Amino acid sequence: MTTDTPTAADVGAVATSTALTPYDPAKFQRDQARVSRGFWTKLRRVAGKLPFLDMLLAAYYCALDPATPLRAKATLMGALAYFVLPVDLIPDFLTGIGFVDDGTVLYAAIRAVTEHIKPAHRERAKDLIQRKLVDAGKPPAA
């Protein structure tokens, strides 16, 4: 007897094989442009409210690292672009829950590409937070 209902193994195999999303060069370029235009502006505005600031910055530095594989960059850029979007599933202005969706998307992307987020990316994020450059009103030098 066959069934059209997928099993947990089927769903897991699909999720693992696609690493969240198939690579689409056009989408990657749109996400990259959106992040380039709005990441630091939004980050300065909301940094004090983000419990996942360190993860967000480590993902950002990993996505910009030339040594990061393109598929991992695309996954991270998609999550970073979602963070930058002015309208998302749960509006950011809702106190206490506004960033739950952003954090969830970021967490899923990081889990999918975790082996590519190197200690250097995490250290650079930690250094930026400690020096409070995020709150100083300008992005750090590349």
Side-chain angles (χ1 to χ4, degrees):
M1 174 182 218
T2 62
T3 178
D4 290 332
T5 306
T7 66
D10 295 332
V11 173
V14 169
T16 302
S17 69
T18 60
L20 294 182
T21 180
Y23 172 70
D24 175 355
K27 182 182 179 319
F28 175 68
Q29 289 177 343
R30 284 191 310 271
D31 289 346
Q32 196 172 28
R34 180 173 285 128
V35 170
S36 179
R37 281 190 315 268
F39 182 78
W40 290 107
T41 301
K42 180 160 186 183
L43 188 63
R44 283 191 303 271
R45 194 173 69 245
V46 301
K49 301 173 191 173
L50 295 177
F52 53 87
L53 180 60
D54 56 336
M55 287 182 10
L56 181 71
L57 287 167
Y60 176 80
Y61 289 128
C62 181
L64 295 182
D65 187 341
T68 301
L70 191 54
R71 200 171 206 57
K73 284 183 183 204
T75 299
L76 292 172
M77 277 297 172
L80 294 168
Y82 185 83
F83 168 75
V84 171
L85 283 173
V87 177
D88 54 22
L89 188 60
I90 301 174
D92 294 341
F93 65 82
L94 294 176
T95 305
I97 64 166
F99 294 104
V100 169
D101 59 328
D102 300 87
T104 302
V105 168
L106 180 66
Y107 179 77
I110 287 173
R111 290 285 297 180
V113 301
T114 193
E115 68 272 9
H116 301 292
I117 300 177
K118 305 297 182 201
H121 303 136
R122 295 180 196 282
E123 284 300 315
R124 193 166 176 197
K126 186 189 309 181
D127 182 54
L128 182 68
I129 292 167
Q130 287 175 346
R131 291 188 291 133
K132 298 188 189 267
L133 287 179
V134 171
D135 296 325
K138 58 184 175 185

